């Protein structure tokens, strides 16, 4: 199948597939005309990468996951370790976002939002954080 077809079936833009090929994440075959040709196996790899990226795994994590997926002698503990590390990163991001939400919520609550020029939001943004 050509790049447009594999992209549609994998749910990935053609530009993304070209990028994955450029960085060596996948390798497309070439037809006699020089155009990329993808097999069913390539489609499965692209869909796998798409799902992993959808869960926020980095390109390097996807490379490792794909290698583990293709290694029939893999230990599931290696896969779990990688997934647990990523889960920890997600939890840290969530905590950071919740802290941002709380701080911004306090600033918005403190602002009267009227015609006066004083604004606790701007004052809060202008404050230096300790340790920065």
């Amino acid at each position: 199948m050509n790049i447009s077809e594999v992209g549609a079936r994998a749910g990935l833009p053609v530009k993304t597939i070209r990028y994955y090929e450029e960085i060596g994440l996948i390798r497309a075959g070439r037809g006699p005309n020089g155009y990329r040709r993808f097999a069913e196996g390539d489609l499965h790899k692209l869909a796998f990468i798409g799902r992993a990226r959808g869960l926020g795994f980095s390109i390097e994590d996807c490379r490792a996951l794909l290698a583990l997926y293709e290694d029939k002698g893999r230990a599931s503990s290696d896969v779990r370790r990688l997934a647990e590390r990523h889960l920890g990163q997600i939890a840290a991001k969530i905590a950071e976002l919740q802290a941002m939400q709380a701080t911004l919520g306090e600033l918005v609550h403190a602002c009267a939002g009227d015609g006066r020029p004083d604004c606790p939001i701007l004052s809060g943004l202008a404050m230096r954080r300790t340790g920065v």
Side-chain angles (χ1 to χ4, degrees), residues 62-130:
C62 287
R63 193 180 305 278
L65 286 167
L66 195 55
L68 287 164
Y69 177 72
E70 292 175 334
D71 178 6
K72 300 306 176 200
R74 69 184 169 265
S76 64
S77 60
D78 293 337
V79 181
R80 183 181 173 127
R81 187 173 22 262
L82 200 151
E84 283 178 333
R85 187 190 69 206
H86 183 58
L87 190 58
Q89 292 169 340
I90 290 171
K93 284 180 187 178
I94 289 170
E96 183 180 333
L97 287 170
Q98 287 173 331
M100 289 167 52
Q101 181 184 32
T103 301
L104 187 55
E106 290 169 9
L107 291 172
V108 168
H109 181 72
C111 182
D114 55 20
R116 294 180 299 175
D118 62 314
C119 178
I121 298 170
L122 294 176
S123 299
L125 293 173
M127 289 175 48
R128 286 194 103 183
R129 289 182 17 186
T130 326

Side-chain angles (χ1 to χ4, degrees), residues 18-39:
R18 285 187 185 120
Y19 173 69
Y20 289 165
E21 184 182 21
E22 181 182 316
I23 63 171
L25 203 53
I26 60 155
R27 288 193 190 103
R30 298 286 176 169
N33 58 5
Y35 291 161
R36 291 173 182 85
R37 299 298 305 161
F38 295 90

